[in-house]
Amino acid sequence: MTGDHGPSDAEEDFLRYLRLQRGLSDDTLRAYAGDLASLRQHRAGQGLDPATLTTSDLRGWLAALSEAGLARATLARRRSTVRTFCQWAVTTGRAATSPAARLAAPQHGSRLPAVLAVGTAREVMAIAEERAGSGSPQDLRAWACVEFLYGTGARVQEVATLDLAD
């Protein structure tokens, strides 16, 4: 099927290749098909002929997706889909060069760890201190760990790996 309303012959052949030659799952094939449909829709009226795709087309599409608020992981997957599609098109002679070869990978921003709200931190500390009043070694250790975490800003993993020599 060709035209603006559905997948091109190249898209169908590409998805068939992924299913038969690479053995991709139905879910993965649906994701690839959805990514290509998104690009086709972005190109409104131009179809998805690999020979006419340009790097500018692909960058514009990814920029529009980013501006629409798609997650970085989604953008990375869509970039991967189009890179695979374009490379397949070159390999099968449908395109002379891959316009996706020069697409930069989206930057993966580092996220700060989640932190407790002040009220929650106070509540956790109060509970730990109250339980430590029982005198049990486990409760005293838990209270000491909570106080240490709060007082130093250490990560839980750092406290969990402490030994007596530290």
Side-chain angles (χ1 to χ4, degrees):
M1 174 192 277
T2 60
D4 301 336
H5 302 292
S8 66
D9 290 342
E11 289 174 79
E12 290 179 351
D13 290 348
F14 174 64
L15 293 171
R16 188 175 306 109
Y17 157 78
L18 293 175
R19 182 172 36 88
L20 298 176
Q21 299 297 317
R22 294 193 43 196
L24 299 184
S25 73
D26 289 342
D27 288 338
T28 302
L29 291 171
R30 272 191 291 280
Y32 271 79
D35 295 345
L36 294 175
S38 169
L39 176 57
R40 184 176 356 99
Q41 183 178 18
H42 176 77
R43 287 179 43 92
Q46 299 176 42
L48 198 51
D49 177 2
T52 64
L53 278 175
T54 66
T55 302
S56 180
D57 291 332
L58 300 178
R59 286 183 178 149
W61 171 60
L62 291 171
L65 296 174
S66 180
E67 288 171 11
L70 268 67
R72 285 188 173 122
T74 302
L75 292 173
R77 190 201 70 232
R78 290 199 174 176
R79 175 185 165 271
S80 175
T81 295
V82 79
R83 283 179 61 97
T84 303
F85 176 66
C86 290
Q87 187 55 50
W88 168 84
V90 169
T91 302
T92 60
R94 287 177 166 86
T97 61
S98 171
R102 293 184 17 191
L103 288 179
Q107 297 295 320
H108 289 285
S110 59
R111 292 189 217 167
L112 294 174
V115 296
L116 293 176
V118 174
T120 305
R122 286 185 181 137
E123 191 176 323
V124 167
M125 292 173 66
I127 291 169
E129 185 175 10
E130 181 182 318
R131 289 188 178 172
S134 73
S136 90
Q138 292 86 1
D139 290 337
L140 287 167
R141 182 185 63 210
W143 179 45
C145 287
V146 168
E147 288 288 333
F148 182 81
L149 286 165
Y150 181 76
T152 65
R155 295 178 302 204
V156 172
Q157 180 63 30
E158 293 169 325
V159 174
T161 58
L162 286 174
D163 65 32
L164 291 176
D166 293 335

